[in-house]
């Protein structure tokens, strides 16, 4: 394997900062963290139950 010091190729990789800042915590509101998943669960459940009862059975 090559050593990093011997690798002279230039790359176009960029550093991504994934650190948790205090400013990110302020962006999470009640509607984003609670209401949207709650209503998405209700919608998904109703779609599954509606599909189970709505699709006709084979003979």
């Amino acid at each position: 394997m090559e050593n990093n010091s011997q690798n002279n190729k230039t790359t176009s990789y960029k550093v991504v900062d994934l650190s948790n800042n205090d400013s990110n915590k302020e962006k999470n509101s009640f509607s984003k963290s609670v209401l949207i998943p709650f209503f998405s669960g209700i919608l998904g459940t109703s779609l599954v139950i509606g599909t189970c009862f709505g699709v006709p059975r084979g003979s």
Side-chain angles (χ1 to χ4, degrees):
M1 298 197 114
E2 290 186 30
N3 211 356
N4 281 342
S5 62
Q6 294 174 351
N7 191 3
N8 293 329
K9 297 178 184 177
T10 58
T11 60
S12 61
Y13 295 119
K14 295 182 182 179
V15 176
V16 178
D17 185 17
L18 296 176
S19 63
N20 292 332
N21 295 335
D22 290 335
S23 62
N24 289 339
K25 292 181 182 178
E26 296 173 2
K27 293 179 184 177
N28 292 336
S29 64
F30 181 76
S31 65
K32 284 185 180 179
S33 61
V34 175
L35 293 180
I36 291 176
F38 179 74
F39 287 119
S40 296
I42 291 175
L43 179 65
T45 303
S46 62
L47 282 173
V48 169
I49 292 174
T51 302
C52 288
F53 289 113
V55 175
R57 295 183 209 159
S59 54

